[in-house]
Amino acid sequence: MARHFQQSDFWVQFKCAHGWRHITHNDVSVLVRTFRAGPFSVSLAYIPMAPAPDFRVRTPTAGKDLAYIKQLAYFTEEIRFLLPKRTLCARYDLPLDFATVAERDGYNASVGDMAAVSRTDIRKSRVDVQPPDSVLLDITRSEEELLAAMKSKWRYNVRYAQKHGVTVRAVTADSPGFARDLDSFYALYQTTAARDGIGIHPLGYYRDLLERGAASGGTANVTLYVASHEGDDLAAIITLCAGEEAVYLYGCSGNEKRNLMPNYLVQWTAICDAKRFGCTVYDFYGIPPTDDPAHPMHGLYLFKTGWGGAEVHRPGSYDIPLSRWYALYAACERARAFWHKRVMKRLRGR
């Protein structure tokens, strides 16, 4: 079973350059974040997409599910002595794939019973670290087959952008003009953040990601794609190709010339390059769970599902508490999430 990119040495080292440190146990990377307030400090242990069970694509077997919950409890006890003294919890993003929301929700509903049977204090986190819903596109098919499998409007939009003079340049940290292109990407990202009410990292975060990709010796191809028309940069994305996995990490667009469909051509260019890099799957990485027109990110759902990929729904984040301070921390997380997702978005919408 291939390691998820979040368990790769490349990604772990990148995250450690931005506030995390890590330990390794049984070939699983555990990221540790410490929060300080004067002399007082607490830590969070985060295990993304691991430990992996022996049924990544699940079959609904109660015995296997229960064994996996026990596996998480055993792993937590094994790493406990390696963690800082005041670690609040071990937080897991479970690498279990479900084809439908109903199957995923059924699994989440059953965890409480399995926790009771196994005497494991495991709880669903109110805040998911990674987006639990995504679209995976099989790119082992030919470009012609990929074009035929996408929605006809998507295929039309790709060709429309090409026909009307939109071009896409692939940029790495070794490319001439890298600093200029990175600044252009960030300006577009700031526009997108203001338009959609999302948070973004400082510019240096994306620069470091691309520079580390260029220095990785080919183990991780990190590429910035910029779509432009007559000198105007219109849209951009950053992708990561590692092993057989390609991931669409970040995307943004401006407010000008949106009618030229630059988002479609920039995405198609990245998909074709991922094939040439030898990847077998392209992960669109993050969608709303259902086709709900009332969801504030419904447009993102439509865009990412139109390429012909398969939806995947994961359980999200689960916590195994390790400290009496965990309940207070969880309450603070819920309050923060409510403030940003409800209050701030309503204020921006006014």
Side-chain angles (χ1 to χ4, degrees):
M1 185 182 298
R3 289 164 65 90
H4 192 270
F5 83 92
Q6 291 177 48
Q7 280 289 317
S8 69
D9 291 341
F10 173 83
W11 192 256
V12 168
Q13 290 166 11
F14 170 63
K15 297 306 289 185
C16 286
H18 295 274
W20 296 82
R21 63 188 183 88
H22 92 284
I23 60 174
T24 302
H25 180 68
N26 288 346
D27 202 33
V28 172
S29 288
V30 180
L31 293 169
V32 179
R33 190 72 177 260
T34 298
F35 307 93
R36 292 184 171 84
F40 184 73
S41 67
V42 294
S43 299
L44 174 73
Y46 173 49
I47 305 92
M49 300 303 287
D54 61 357
F55 52 96
R56 176 70 181 272
V57 179
R58 290 190 62 258
T59 54
T61 304
K64 284 186 175 181
D65 289 339
L66 183 58
Y68 185 53
I69 295 298
K70 291 179 179 178
Q71 179 186 350
L72 296 179
Y74 295 151
F75 184 84
T76 303
E77 285 303 310
E78 289 173 348
I79 66 171
R80 190 169 190 158
F81 75 96
L82 300 172
L83 300 173
K85 186 176 181 180
R86 287 189 290 269
T87 298
L88 298 168
C89 67
R91 176 163 292 175
Y92 295 88
D93 276 326
L94 306 186
L96 307 178
D97 296 347
F98 298 86
T100 68
V101 171
E103 290 175 355
R104 184 265 307 284
D105 290 350
Y107 175 84
N108 281 342
S110 72
V111 170
D113 291 337
M114 289 188 289
V117 170
S118 63
R119 297 182 180 180
T120 300
D121 186 7
I122 184 169
R123 313 177 188 184
K124 182 72 180 73
S125 172
R126 296 295 183 91
V127 178
D128 291 319
V129 180
Q130 305 297 331
D133 307 281
S134 190
V135 176
L136 304 182
L137 180 63
D138 175 6
I139 57 174
T140 61
R141 296 169 287 178
S142 68
E143 292 183 12
E144 292 74 19
E145 289 171 326
L146 289 170
L147 285 165
M150 67 180 66
K151 290 182 178 180
S152 60
K153 183 64 174 177
W154 272 236
R155 187 165 56 249
Y156 173 84
N157 286 345
V158 168
R159 291 168 175 164
Y160 183 91
Q162 292 171 325
K163 181 179 178 180
H164 287 80
V166 177
T167 59
V168 177
R169 59 187 182 275
V171 179
T172 68
D174 293 332
S175 300
F178 166 66
R180 179 197 64 233
D181 289 329
L182 183 63
D183 285 343
S184 182
F185 158 80
Y186 200 66
L188 290 169
Y189 215 173
Q190 289 175 312
T191 298
T192 299
R195 184 177 64 227
D196 297 340
I198 60 174
I200 61 176
H201 295 286
L203 176 64
Y205 183 90
Y206 307 102
R207 179 188 297 113
D208 186 42
L209 175 61
L210 284 150
E211 289 177 346
R212 286 174 181 272
S216 71
T219 58
N221 289 291
V222 184
T223 308
L224 165 64
Y225 294 91
V226 184
S228 62
H229 178 263
E230 295 180 348
D232 298 322
D233 291 338
L234 308 179
I237 66 174
I238 293 178
T239 65
L240 165 68
C241 293
E244 296 182 348
E245 183 181 27
V247 187
Y248 165 32
L249 291 175
Y250 308 106
C252 52
S253 62
N255 295 324
E256 306 299 323
K257 300 184 181 180
R258 296 170 68 88
N259 61 303
L260 296 180
M261 307 300 169
N263 292 333
Y264 292 84
L265 186 57
V266 75
Q267 200 69 235
W268 175 242
T269 303
I271 290 169
C272 294
D273 277 1
K275 279 181 58 63
R276 284 188 281 274
F277 284 137
C279 298
T280 62
V281 63
Y282 188 92
D283 188 344
F284 281 90
Y285 206 56
I287 58 170
T290 61
D291 185 6
D292 179 6
H295 195 285
M297 302 300 285
H298 183 240
L300 186 71
Y301 177 93
L302 295 177
F303 177 75
K304 292 187 176 183
T305 57
W307 296 90
E311 292 185 41
V312 61
H313 306 278
R314 296 180 177 129
S317 299
Y318 272 86
D319 294 343
I320 296 182
L322 299 174
S323 166
R324 61 189 176 90
W325 294 101
Y326 169 79
L328 177 61
Y329 176 76
C332 292
E333 272 196 328
R334 288 194 296 272
R336 182 178 183 274
F338 178 82
W339 175 260
H340 285 282
K341 293 183 178 181
R342 299 289 182 86
V343 178
M344 291 302 294
K345 284 199 173 184
R346 286 184 180 178
L347 290 174
R348 291 189 187 101
R350 289 182 179 176

